Amino acid sequence: MKTYAPLDVTFDHGKGAWLWDTEGNKYLDAISGIAVTGLGHAHSAVTDAICDQAKTLLHTSNLFNIQYQQLLAERLTNVAKMDRVFFGNSGAEANEAAIKIARLFGNQRNISEPAIIVTEASFHGRTLATLSATGNRKIQAGFEPLVKGFVRAPYNDLDALEKISSHNKNVVAIMVEPIQGESGIIIPDDDYLTGIREICDRNNWLMILDEIQTGMGRSGAWFGYQHYNILPDIMTLAKGLGNGMPIGACLARGDAAEVFQPGNHGSTFGGNPIACRTALAVVDSIEKEGLVKRAMQLGNTMLSAFQTRLGSLQHVSEIRGKGLLIAIELNQTCKELASEALKKGIVINVTADTVVRLLPPLIISDEEASMIVERVCELVESFPNKKRT
Ligand code: PLP
């Protein structure tokens, strides 16, 4: 169906941070399939895990124990300091699980109309519940009636949450992205997540973090909340967890981890052997190759290079980032930069119409990082001139 408007290029193979199209042209990948291929393309540990598991066992279903699901759950809960995991196949499904846990948690506490606070400009997915949670009218328009039970608050506004807590007794949870990805890498103030944790503790709300874009090392920590001294009650993952193998995960801790009982939720494919073994190889490789620290160091270097070179340009309104989530915001629509970039041999993305978004693989070399900076700077520097011609 016509759900996408793809750019006019077809990639047929990749290696590391590089992609090749069907004509043999080579491109530097600075978007990682929207924060998915953090280990780059054709990473040997990931490829070996997929090939070996494909020769052994693909699927049996959750009617039975699944060894790699158990191993992955142990590994993830250790890294995240959480207690339990539900596995699905995508980000939206991970968020659906989180929403269902919050509702069940509320109903078990005799709140018959449980509500979840969500924020303006958020993105949580395209299923009915997750698009209802999403703070973007474009995503929702035409799909009414929306799913009820979401209360909207401005992002990065703790006072707004306090106000809601004073009059809405149906709230059971708050769901936010640690950094808003789709709306342009919006980084909240340093006290935002710790403030949310405090408000949740005081009101007995669950703190749900959507780490689908920020997780798996991308922000320079395994998960965005690890930049602060807090733990959420629920965290959702997908994207970089499988490096391209579809997998989503909803992790929970404490009471939230005990809410689902047999029969409450499920997925035929979720947590199958091949997806879980692949994700296990991803987690191992991120750790073995020291990519979490590396993402922070590369991000800092690239961010200051962009600031030095583009910071004073009139048409650049802000340059911001954390780890390898980097945004160059222009003061005008610049969607065409994504196709211009292809002509320069680099793959980027423009989100929210005006934001050049860079989400390069965590495995890039210093030289590749410099090449990304150089090519993106050339693009942004020449952008207004291109517009006039
Ligand atoms: N949540 C966030 C923060 C995302 O960035 C995305 C995808 O961009 C999703 C949820 C939805 O994930 P999926 O497309 O895998 O359903």
Side-chain angles (χ1 to χ4, degrees):
M1 294 190 188
K2 297 177 192 165
T3 38
Y4 309 105
L7 294 172
D8 190 18
V9 64
T10 307
F11 301 116
D12 66 4
H13 68 283
K15 184 75 198 155
W18 296 89
L19 283 165
W20 283 262
D21 70 14
T22 45
E23 321 271 288
N25 300 309
K26 188 178 174 187
Y27 305 80
L28 189 49
D29 183 359
I31 188 68
S32 308
I34 326 184
V36 169
T37 51
L39 295 176
H41 304 284
H43 186 282
S44 61
V46 176
T47 307
D48 289 349
I50 293 171
C51 292
D52 195 54
Q53 193 58 36
K55 287 184 214 153
T56 314
L57 186 68
L58 283 180
H59 179 86
T60 50
S61 91
N62 288 296
L63 294 174
F64 313 99
N65 291 317
I66 299 171
Q67 186 193 13
Y68 281 109
Q69 188 184 121
Q70 297 290 338
L71 291 171
L72 178 61
E74 270 163 37
R75 212 60 177 81
L76 281 178
T77 50
N78 265 330
V79 184
K81 298 202 167 50
M82 305 292 272
D83 294 329
R84 294 186 182 278
V85 194
F86 171 81
F87 290 107
N89 313 285
S90 67
E93 275 180 79
N95 284 340
E96 286 276 345
I99 293 165
K100 284 182 70 175
I101 291 174
R103 285 190 167 198
L104 206 48
F105 173 85
N107 277 298
Q108 286 169 356
R109 281 158 182 72
N110 297 319
I111 298 173
S112 57
E113 300 264 321
I116 301 172
I117 300 177
V118 287
T119 61
E120 286 166 11
S122 60
F123 184 79
H124 297 297
R126 301 282 197 155
T127 59
L128 273 173
T130 58
L131 76 81
S132 302
T134 290
N136 180 343
R137 269 310 292 160
K138 271 197 213 159
I139 306 281
Q140 298 173 338
F143 298 108
E144 295 82 4
L146 300 181
V147 173
K148 291 196 296 182
F150 295 105
V151 178
R152 188 84 47 205
Y155 191 63
N156 197 24
D157 186 342
L158 292 170
D159 290 341
L161 303 179
E162 296 283 14
K163 268 191 208 128
I164 295 171
S165 77
S166 67
H167 66 80
N168 191 332
K169 298 301 165 206
N170 288 332
V171 173
V172 293
I174 166 159
M175 178 158 97
V176 286
E177 296 155 86
I179 294 171
Q180 288 187 329
E182 293 307 293
S183 59
I185 318 283
I186 311 297
I187 305 165
D189 296 340
D190 273 345
D191 65 351
Y192 186 53
L193 292 188
T194 44
I196 291 179
R197 181 67 271 175
E198 201 268 314
I199 293 171
C200 286
D201 287 342
R202 209 173 343 111
N203 292 285
N204 196 22
W205 295 347
L206 298 177
M207 178 177 183
I208 306 174
L209 287 182
D210 177 341
E211 294 259 11
I212 287 162
Q213 192 153 152
T214 47
M216 304 310 292
R218 179 149 297 279
S219 77
W222 271 102
F223 310 108
Y225 64 84
Q226 292 176 339
H227 291 290
Y228 315 97
N229 196 18
I230 54 156
L231 287 174
D233 299 291
I234 299 177
M235 158 173 77
T236 54
L237 294 174
K239 290 190 181 279
L241 177 58
N243 210 61
M245 177 64 78
I247 181 167
C250 175
L251 290 85
R253 180 176 72 86
D255 288 350
E258 307 305 324
V259 169
F260 277 160
Q261 295 300 318
N264 286 142
H265 197 47
S267 160
T268 299
F269 292 139
N272 75 24
I274 194 156
C276 289
R277 181 157 175 196
T278 308
L280 201 53
V282 171
V283 177
D284 285 342
S285 301
I286 291 175
E287 191 171 75
K288 226 182 275 163
E289 296 174 35
L291 295 178
V292 177
K293 255 200 192 144
R294 174 84 178 142
M296 185 52 109
Q297 175 221 328
L298 277 166
N300 286 340
T301 309
M302 291 174 77
L303 194 61
S304 60
F306 282 126
Q307 275 158 345
T308 305
R309 182 117 165 235
L310 303 174
S312 58
L313 295 186
Q314 260 197 340
H315 61 288
V316 174
S317 46
E318 196 181 25
I319 299 166
R320 53 183 178 263
K322 196 156 191 162
L324 287 175
L325 294 128
I326 301 172
I328 301 163
E329 180 161 3
L330 305 196
N331 60 11
Q332 53 193 286
T333 309
C334 60
K335 278 171 159 171
E336 57 268 52
L337 274 180
S339 48
E340 287 296 321
L342 292 176
K343 294 181 202 156
K344 282 198 180 291
I346 181 161
V347 187
I348 64 158
N349 170 253
V350 173
T351 191
D353 293 341
T354 56
V355 180
V356 174
R357 175 171 52 165
L358 303 174
L359 304 163
L362 315 186
I363 46 86
I364 50 172
S365 64
D366 290 346
E367 197 193 353
E368 286 162 343
S370 304
M371 286 172 82
I372 292 174
V373 170
E374 181 58 33
R375 289 182 195 188
V376 170
C377 283
E378 281 173 18
L379 264 173
V380 172
E381 282 163 348
S382 64
F383 174 64
N385 302 336
K386 282 245 162 50
K387 261 210 132 175
R388 249 179 263 131
T389 52

